[in-house]
Amino acid sequence: IWILNTVNKLFYQSQAWICMVLIGACAGIFAGLIDIGAEWITTIREGICVQHIWLNKTRCCIQNVDSDNCSEWYEWSQLIMDMDNEYRIYLTWGIYVIVSILLAGYAAWLVKHFARYAAGSGI
């Protein structure tokens, strides 16, 4: 009973530290996910790694020093129409613009719907 009371007392006294450690770990995990996700979304506008969809262009072509000759990375024009002519750049540019507009629209929607909850919070 003495040991149980001591453990209970130590747990009660350290609850604030336990809470701070858990909050710090969650903040670090979310920051890492945001960083990885932002980098992935940046490269998804240009193309996709067919073998591993979760990888960005840098990670997909990590074996190749010359990332222009990566066999696993496909630009959207190569994937959609298998184009290797001079018009490929126009399709790639168009898809880049469309995906960028969709991502900007999604960001605007997020701000519109969640900004009122952040009002006055210092964010």
Side-chain angles (χ1 to χ4, degrees):
I1 293 180
W2 175 78
I3 293 174
L4 186 62
N5 287 337
T6 304
V7 169
N8 192 17
K9 187 177 179 181
L10 285 174
F11 177 73
Y12 180 74
Q13 291 174 348
S14 63
Q15 279 182 349
W17 287 103
I18 293 170
C19 185
M20 284 191 290
V21 167
L22 291 175
I23 289 172
C26 288
I29 289 169
F30 284 126
L33 289 174
I34 288 171
D35 184 46
I36 292 168
E39 189 175 340
W40 181 74
I41 286 176
T42 301
T43 59
I44 201 77
R45 294 182 294 182
E46 300 171 3
I48 195 165
C49 184
V50 176
Q51 299 295 328
H52 309 285
I53 194 170
W54 59 90
L55 295 179
N56 60 9
K57 187 175 183 179
T58 307
R59 299 283 182 204
C60 182
C61 302
I62 202 160
Q63 290 96 2
N64 299 343
V65 178
D66 184 19
S67 64
D68 292 335
N69 295 328
C70 182
S71 62
E72 294 182 11
W73 181 261
Y74 287 92
E75 291 182 352
W76 290 113
S77 61
Q78 292 172 318
L79 193 64
I80 293 172
M81 298 183 73
D82 197 24
M83 296 174 70
D84 280 329
N85 55 21
E86 65 273 4
Y87 299 112
R88 182 178 95 182
I89 193 165
Y90 298 116
L91 181 62
T92 301
W93 178 80
I95 293 172
Y96 184 90
V97 169
I98 289 169
V99 172
S100 297
I101 290 171
L102 289 173
L103 291 174
Y106 181 62
W109 179 84
L110 285 174
V111 168
K112 183 180 178 188
H113 283 80
F114 293 110
R116 61 177 162 246
Y117 300 118
S121 67
I123 295 177

